[in-house]
Amino acid sequence: MGKIWDAIDGLKPTIMMVMVQAIMTGVNVFYKLAANIGMSLRVLIAYRFLFAAACLVPIALLLERKEKPKLTWFVLCQAFLSALFGGSMAQNFYAQSLALTSATFAAAMINLVPAFTFVLA
């Protein structure tokens, strides 16, 4: 029985990778369905970020309640630019490319991002 649990323990990273790919496949299909029925993908992404913030802010406030760094204008500006260019712009580009192509092509291209990064580096 111990050998079986050791084998399962060794497969945890592989199982997690398969689960993440399955979840991303579901997200791609739902984005494609939303685009096909005419929903604005920008609104869908805004809802996605609002839902993520609503889930993460209470956890962050609970876990980091003793450490409160100063919120200066510089830090606020950096957070705004990071949110604008780091998250929402990439998500909007991805959703728009998903609307203009197939879900299969978008899923294949997202897996090529590390290769493009390596070539550019």
Side-chain angles (χ1 to χ4, degrees), residues 65-88:
R65 64 179 172 251
K66 294 179 183 174
E67 301 171 15
K68 292 187 180 178
K70 286 190 172 189
L71 187 63
T72 63
W73 282 106
F74 183 70
V75 171
L76 194 63
C77 183
Q78 281 183 333
F80 173 76
L81 291 175
S82 177
L84 180 66
F85 294 120
S88 65

Side-chain angles (χ1 to χ4, degrees), residues 41-112:
L41 294 176
R42 290 185 179 107
V43 172
L44 181 67
I45 291 169
Y47 285 155
R48 179 179 176 174
F49 280 123
L50 287 173
F51 181 74
C55 290
L56 291 177
V57 165
I59 295 170
L61 290 175
L62 185 67
L63 294 177
E64 302 288 332
R65 64 179 172 251
K66 294 179 183 174
E67 301 171 15
K68 292 187 180 178
K70 286 190 172 189
L71 187 63
T72 63
W73 282 106
F74 183 70
V75 171
L76 194 63
C77 183
Q78 281 183 333
F80 173 76
L81 291 175
S82 177
L84 180 66
F85 294 120
S88 65
M89 189 172 73
Q91 287 291 317
N92 279 307
F93 283 156
Y94 180 72
Q96 191 63 35
S97 69
L98 189 61
L100 297 174
T101 60
S102 68
T104 306
F105 181 77
M109 292 307 290
I110 200 70
N111 289 327
L112 292 176

